[in-house]
Amino acid sequence: MENSVISSVDKQEVDSVSENIQTDIHTEESNPKSSVESWKPDEDQSSSEEGKSAGGEINENAVIDAISTVYDPEIPVNVYDLGLIYAVDLHDDGRVHVEMTLTAPNCPSAQELPVMIQQAIEKVDGVVEVKVDVVWDPPWDVSRMSDEARLTLNMF
């Protein structure tokens, strides 16, 4: 007996909701300038939010991992472990600024390495712009290399 009361109440609620929906639909069709407007995202908002990580910030480890995928064509060690990256500045608006150096001013990869680093970082979620500057102060030396890089190159 109790089940039949519940099911009849539920059926009445469903019928009532259904009638309200039908009424709302007919009202919308007959009144095209209803107070309810369709929502469309602004282009600026969608592009600035696209690719953001859950916290809205760029993940520093993800940027370092991306940089670590770039290798100096002449040396079998990535540019991060070589100590060529001096600074990585992450901004809340998705910009990343990198200061790097080269092993020598006449490095044959001087043109391609900054571009390779920029392209690697651009793939990280939340990054909207990357600027890579080559700096010469302080000059690079072997002491900037990670222990792993020294081991790889037999430079203790």
Side-chain angles (χ1 to χ4, degrees), residues 77-78 81-83 145-155:
V77 176
N78 71 67
D81 286 336
L82 274 175
M145 293 172 48
S146 71
D147 290 339
E148 185 178 312
R150 289 180 194 186
L151 185 62
T152 301
L153 299 174
N154 291 326
M155 300 178 87

Side-chain angles (χ1 to χ4, degrees), residues 30-87:
S30 64
N31 185 8
K33 292 188 177 187
S34 167
S35 62
V36 178
E37 296 179 16
S38 63
W39 178 82
K40 293 181 182 176
D42 295 335
E43 285 185 28
D44 292 338
Q45 180 183 2
S46 64
S47 64
S48 66
E49 293 299 319
E50 186 176 302
K52 290 286 184 188
S53 59
E57 296 178 1
I58 302 168
N59 183 319
E60 181 179 6
N61 290 333
V63 172
I64 292 170
D65 289 346
I67 293 170
S68 297
T69 65
V70 178
Y71 282 75
D72 185 312
E74 297 178 330
I75 305 171
V77 176
N78 71 67
V79 294
Y80 192 81
D81 286 336
L82 274 175
L84 298 181
I85 306 300
Y86 284 178

Side-chain angles (χ1 to χ4, degrees), residues 90-140:
L90 308 177
H91 300 272
D92 291 339
D93 61 358
R95 291 178 299 125
V96 177
H97 180 233
V98 176
E99 287 186 357
M100 67 168 294
T101 194
L102 301 168
T103 55
N106 59 351
C107 175
S109 302
Q111 298 299 313
E112 65 188 284
L113 277 177
V115 173
M116 292 167 60
I117 291 169
Q118 177 183 357
Q119 291 172 345
I121 296 171
E122 286 174 341
K123 295 176 185 175
V124 175
D125 284 344
V127 174
V128 295
E129 180 183 332
V130 180
K131 181 179 179 188
V132 179
D133 289 328
V134 177
V135 297
W136 300 105
D137 190 32
W140 179 85

